[in-house]
Amino acid sequence: AIKRIEITILEGGSRVISAFPRGFGKTTISENSALWAVLYGHRRFVPIIGADEPAAKSNIESLKTELQSNELLIEDFPEVCWPIAALENKVQRCRSQLHNGELTHISWAADEIVLPSIRVPDGKYTSSSGAILLARGITGRIRGMAHKRPDGEKQRPDFVILDDIQTDESASSPSQCEKRLGLIKQAVLRLGGHGRQLACVMNCTCIQEGDIVDQLLDHKKNAAW
């Protein structure tokens, strides 16, 4: 499953669904995949979309904890983790943070992280500079995700992770399943812009027959996945 995610991040274009048993670590895999994608510069804007807003809040808090306290990440990516540590969890410091006299344009919001823009001695920016991690619930504000970069470019998502987007309640409701499937097809998969196929991975658990996961795993009905 991790290898499929890696290939999708690197090559793009595909829609991958991986069904796991409960307790397998789906969310950990989703969050660490997002970090891997942006820290190495493979992807620029990665939303993680969960079952609801509490799940999204949990995703973003987990990502923040990793960036703040994971000693291995701090060793490997000081250009990301040290500016984050310098904030001391005070969001108001983002606007004025400088590196060698330049604004880092870092963001540390309730549902969004924008990694610091750090210029190295050769004048180029680090591979992760300005990358965006965002967390939302599937029934929340999905449409129109975009981030205006300091150079004026409008950045749209280029890889999206659907992390366990069902609840027990929604899985047992045909109307909720239909609504969430519609959001995936009409909103999530169009986040990259018109005419562009967005790379997407769904990590999930089938809760009952006929739920979203059960339908998407049926290759005859959903051959694109």
Short mmCIF file of all heavy atoms in Angstrom, two decimals, residues 84-114:
data_model
loop_
_atom_site.label_atom_id
_atom_site.label_comp_id
_atom_site.label_asym_id
_atom_site.label_seq_id
_atom_site.Cartn_x
_atom_site.Cartn_y
_atom_site.Cartn_z
N ILE A 84 9.90 26.55 12.17
CA ILE A 84 8.67 26.20 12.89
C ILE A 84 8.90 26.28 14.40
O ILE A 84 8.08 26.84 15.14
CB ILE A 84 8.19 24.80 12.48
CG1 ILE A 84 7.63 24.83 11.05
CG2 ILE A 84 7.14 24.26 13.45
CD1 ILE A 84 7.31 23.47 10.47
N ALA A 85 10.04 25.76 14.87
CA ALA A 85 10.35 25.82 16.30
C ALA A 85 10.47 27.27 16.77
O ALA A 85 10.07 27.60 17.90
CB ALA A 85 11.65 25.07 16.58
N ALA A 86 11.00 28.14 15.90
CA ALA A 86 11.19 29.55 16.27
C ALA A 86 9.87 30.28 16.51
O ALA A 86 9.83 31.29 17.22
CB ALA A 86 12.00 30.27 15.19
N LEU A 87 8.79 29.75 15.93
CA LEU A 87 7.47 30.36 16.16
C LEU A 87 7.02 30.18 17.61
O LEU A 87 6.20 30.97 18.10
CB LEU A 87 6.43 29.74 15.24
CG LEU A 87 6.58 29.96 13.73
CD1 LEU A 87 5.51 29.16 12.99
CD2 LEU A 87 6.49 31.44 13.37
N GLU A 88 7.49 29.12 18.26
CA GLU A 88 7.07 28.76 19.60
C GLU A 88 5.54 28.67 19.70
O GLU A 88 4.93 29.08 20.68
CB GLU A 88 7.62 29.76 20.63
CG GLU A 88 9.14 29.73 20.71
CD GLU A 88 9.69 30.68 21.75
OE1 GLU A 88 9.03 31.72 22.04
OE2 GLU A 88 10.77 30.40 22.29
N ASN A 89 4.95 28.15 18.61
CA ASN A 89 3.50 27.95 18.52
C ASN A 89 2.71 29.25 18.59
O ASN A 89 1.52 29.25 18.93
CB ASN A 89 3.00 26.99 19.60
CG ASN A 89 2.15 25.87 19.01
OD1 ASN A 89 2.08 25.69 17.79
ND2 ASN A 89 1.47 25.14 19.86
N LYS A 90 3.35 30.37 18.28
CA LYS A 90 2.68 31.68 18.30
C LYS A 90 2.43 32.12 16.86
O LYS A 90 3.34 32.55 16.16
CB LYS A 90 3.55 32.70 19.04
CG LYS A 90 3.75 32.33 20.51
CD LYS A 90 4.69 33.30 21.23
CE LYS A 90 4.88 32.87 22.68
NZ LYS A 90 5.87 33.74 23.39
N VAL A 91 1.17 31.99 16.45
CA VAL A 91 0.80 32.23 15.06
C VAL A 91 1.14 33.65 14.61
O VAL A 91 1.52 33.90 13.46
CB VAL A 91 -0.71 31.96 14.86
CG1 VAL A 91 -1.13 32.25 13.43
CG2 VAL A 91 -1.04 30.52 15.23
N GLN A 92 1.06 34.60 15.53
CA GLN A 92 1.29 36.01 15.18
C GLN A 92 2.73 36.26 14.70
O GLN A 92 3.00 37.28 14.07
CB GLN A 92 0.94 36.93 16.35
CG GLN A 92 1.74 36.71 17.61
CD GLN A 92 1.09 35.71 18.55
OE1 GLN A 92 0.36 34.82 18.10
NE2 GLN A 92 1.33 35.86 19.84
N ARG A 93 3.65 35.34 15.00
CA ARG A 93 5.04 35.52 14.57
C ARG A 93 5.24 35.20 13.09
O ARG A 93 6.28 35.52 12.52
CB ARG A 93 5.97 34.66 15.41
CG ARG A 93 6.10 35.10 16.87
CD ARG A 93 7.14 34.29 17.60
NE ARG A 93 7.31 34.76 18.97
CZ ARG A 93 8.17 34.22 19.83
NH1 ARG A 93 8.91 33.19 19.46
NH2 ARG A 93 8.27 34.72 21.05
N CYS A 94 4.26 34.53 12.48
CA CYS A 94 4.41 34.11 11.09
C CYS A 94 4.64 35.30 10.16
O CYS A 94 5.50 35.26 9.26
CB CYS A 94 3.19 33.33 10.63
SG CYS A 94 2.98 31.73 11.42
N ARG A 95 3.88 36.36 10.33
CA ARG A 95 3.92 37.50 9.41
C ARG A 95 5.28 38.19 9.37
O ARG A 95 5.65 38.78 8.36
CB ARG A 95 2.85 38.53 9.79
CG ARG A 95 1.42 38.08 9.51
CD ARG A 95 0.43 39.15 9.92
NE ARG A 95 -0.93 38.79 9.58
CZ ARG A 95 -1.51 39.06 8.41
NH1 ARG A 95 -0.84 39.69 7.47
NH2 ARG A 95 -2.76 38.69 8.18
N SER A 96 6.02 38.12 10.48
CA SER A 96 7.27 38.88 10.55
C SER A 96 8.52 38.01 10.54
O SER A 96 9.63 38.52 10.67
CB SER A 96 7.27 39.75 11.82
OG SER A 96 7.12 38.93 12.98
N GLN A 97 8.36 36.70 10.39
CA GLN A 97 9.55 35.84 10.44
C GLN A 97 10.45 36.05 9.23
O GLN A 97 10.00 36.04 8.09
CB GLN A 97 9.16 34.36 10.53
CG GLN A 97 10.36 33.46 10.79
CD GLN A 97 9.99 32.00 10.87
OE1 GLN A 97 9.79 31.36 9.84
NE2 GLN A 97 9.89 31.46 12.08
N LEU A 98 11.74 36.23 9.50
CA LEU A 98 12.72 36.49 8.46
C LEU A 98 13.81 35.44 8.47
O LEU A 98 14.16 34.87 9.50
CB LEU A 98 13.37 37.87 8.65
CG LEU A 98 12.47 39.10 8.67
CD1 LEU A 98 13.30 40.33 9.03
CD2 LEU A 98 11.79 39.29 7.33
N HIS A 99 14.37 35.21 7.27
CA HIS A 99 15.59 34.40 7.14
C HIS A 99 16.52 35.16 6.21
O HIS A 99 16.18 35.41 5.05
CB HIS A 99 15.28 33.01 6.57
CG HIS A 99 16.52 32.20 6.30
ND1 HIS A 99 17.03 32.04 5.03
CD2 HIS A 99 17.36 31.55 7.14
CE1 HIS A 99 18.12 31.30 5.10
NE2 HIS A 99 18.34 30.99 6.37
N ASN A 100 17.67 35.57 6.72
CA ASN A 100 18.61 36.40 5.96
C ASN A 100 17.93 37.62 5.36
O ASN A 100 18.18 37.99 4.20
CB ASN A 100 19.29 35.58 4.86
CG ASN A 100 20.29 34.57 5.42
OD1 ASN A 100 20.77 34.73 6.54
ND2 ASN A 100 20.59 33.53 4.66
N GLY A 101 17.04 38.23 6.15
CA GLY A 101 16.39 39.46 5.74
C GLY A 101 15.18 39.29 4.85
O GLY A 101 14.53 40.27 4.50
N GLU A 102 14.83 38.06 4.51
CA GLU A 102 13.66 37.80 3.65
C GLU A 102 12.56 37.14 4.47
O GLU A 102 12.82 36.27 5.31
CB GLU A 102 14.02 36.87 2.49
CG GLU A 102 14.90 37.49 1.42
CD GLU A 102 15.07 36.54 0.24
OE1 GLU A 102 15.91 35.63 0.33
OE2 GLU A 102 14.34 36.70 -0.76
N LEU A 103 11.32 37.52 4.19
CA LEU A 103 10.18 36.87 4.84
C LEU A 103 10.13 35.39 4.45
O LEU A 103 10.36 35.04 3.28
CB LEU A 103 8.88 37.54 4.44
CG LEU A 103 8.62 38.95 5.01
CD1 LEU A 103 7.42 39.59 4.33
CD2 LEU A 103 8.39 38.88 6.52
N THR A 104 9.83 34.55 5.42
CA THR A 104 9.71 33.11 5.12
C THR A 104 8.32 32.74 4.61
O THR A 104 8.13 31.65 4.07
CB THR A 104 10.00 32.26 6.37
OG1 THR A 104 9.02 32.55 7.37
CG2 THR A 104 11.40 32.55 6.91
N HIS A 105 7.34 33.63 4.79
CA HIS A 105 5.95 33.39 4.35
C HIS A 105 5.38 32.11 4.96
O HIS A 105 4.54 31.44 4.35
CB HIS A 105 5.86 33.34 2.82
CG HIS A 105 6.33 34.60 2.16
ND1 HIS A 105 5.59 35.76 2.19
CD2 HIS A 105 7.47 34.87 1.46
CE1 HIS A 105 6.26 36.70 1.53
NE2 HIS A 105 7.39 36.20 1.08
N ILE A 106 5.82 31.78 6.15
CA ILE A 106 5.33 30.59 6.84
C ILE A 106 3.90 30.82 7.33
O ILE A 106 3.51 31.94 7.62
CB ILE A 106 6.27 30.25 8.02
CG1 ILE A 106 5.94 28.89 8.62
CG2 ILE A 106 6.22 31.34 9.09
CD1 ILE A 106 6.95 28.43 9.66
N SER A 107 3.11 29.74 7.39
CA SER A 107 1.76 29.81 7.95
C SER A 107 1.56 28.63 8.87
O SER A 107 1.99 27.50 8.56
CB SER A 107 0.70 29.81 6.84
OG SER A 107 -0.60 29.83 7.39
N TRP A 108 0.90 28.87 10.02
CA TRP A 108 0.70 27.84 11.05
C TRP A 108 -0.73 27.98 11.56
O TRP A 108 -0.98 28.26 12.70
CB TRP A 108 1.72 28.07 12.16
CG TRP A 108 1.97 26.92 13.09
CD1 TRP A 108 1.62 26.85 14.41
CD2 TRP A 108 2.66 25.70 12.81
NE1 TRP A 108 2.04 25.66 14.95
CE2 TRP A 108 2.69 24.93 14.00
CE3 TRP A 108 3.24 25.17 11.65
CZ2 TRP A 108 3.28 23.68 14.06
CZ3 TRP A 108 3.83 23.92 11.71
CH2 TRP A 108 3.84 23.19 12.90
N ALA A 109 -1.68 27.77 10.65
CA ALA A 109 -3.09 28.02 10.95
C ALA A 109 -3.78 26.78 11.50
O ALA A 109 -3.19 25.70 11.58
CB ALA A 109 -3.80 28.50 9.69
N ALA A 110 -5.05 26.95 11.86
CA ALA A 110 -5.80 25.86 12.47
C ALA A 110 -6.03 24.69 11.51
O ALA A 110 -6.16 23.54 11.94
CB ALA A 110 -7.15 26.38 12.97
N ASP A 111 -6.10 24.97 10.20
CA ASP A 111 -6.34 23.88 9.24
C ASP A 111 -5.31 23.85 8.12
O ASP A 111 -5.46 23.11 7.15
CB ASP A 111 -7.75 23.99 8.64
CG ASP A 111 -7.95 25.27 7.84
OD1 ASP A 111 -7.07 26.16 7.88
OD2 ASP A 111 -8.99 25.39 7.17
N GLU A 112 -4.25 24.67 8.24
CA GLU A 112 -3.29 24.78 7.13
C GLU A 112 -1.89 25.05 7.65
O GLU A 112 -1.68 25.81 8.60
CB GLU A 112 -3.72 25.92 6.20
CG GLU A 112 -2.79 26.15 5.03
CD GLU A 112 -3.17 27.40 4.25
OE1 GLU A 112 -2.98 28.52 4.78
OE2 GLU A 112 -3.64 27.26 3.11
N ILE A 113 -0.92 24.41 7.01
CA ILE A 113 0.50 24.68 7.26
C ILE A 113 1.13 25.06 5.93
O ILE A 113 0.99 24.34 4.94
CB ILE A 113 1.21 23.43 7.82
CG1 ILE A 113 0.58 22.97 9.13
CG2 ILE A 113 2.70 23.71 8.01
CD1 ILE A 113 1.04 21.58 9.57
N VAL A 114 1.81 26.19 5.90
CA VAL A 114 2.63 26.56 4.74
C VAL A 114 4.08 26.53 5.21
O VAL A 114 4.46 27.26 6.14
CB VAL A 114 2.28 27.95 4.19
CG1 VAL A 114 3.18 28.28 2.99
CG2 VAL A 114 0.81 28.01 3.76
#
